[in-house]
Amino acid sequence: LGAEWADAHPHWISVEDELPKENGRYLFYHEKIGVQDTYYYNDLTLDKAVTHWMPLPEPPKKGGNQ
């Protein structure tokens, strides 16, 4: 069950391992600021203090507990 949950939920990815494949909004972790929510990533610019990123989670569904 743990592996299924992990596969279905976003997780932090090191910028040394991988960068987003598309320009867009992501969560980023900045060494000095902490989590930067909805930072716009452009493949031409990335602050050197950013160490990790993850895709934004899906928005909640109406009428559910998710």
Side-chain angles (χ1 to χ4, degrees):
L1 185 65
E4 289 176 18
W5 184 91
D7 288 343
H9 293 81
H11 58 279
W12 290 108
I13 301 166
S14 171
V15 297
E16 293 180 3
D17 295 337
E18 182 181 353
L19 291 173
K21 293 179 179 32
E22 299 177 9
N23 292 341
R25 293 191 175 279
Y26 298 88
L27 291 178
F28 279 83
Y29 186 81
H30 189 283
E31 289 179 335
K32 297 177 185 174
I33 300 170
V35 175
Q36 282 187 283
D37 59 340
T38 67
Y39 177 89
Y40 187 82
Y41 171 74
N42 178 322
D43 57 0
L44 300 176
T45 61
L46 184 63
D47 187 327
K48 295 202 184 315
V50 170
T51 61
H52 291 77
W53 67 276
M54 75 165 62
L56 293 174
E58 293 294 320
K61 297 177 183 173
K62 289 185 178 182
N65 292 339
Q66 299 178 23

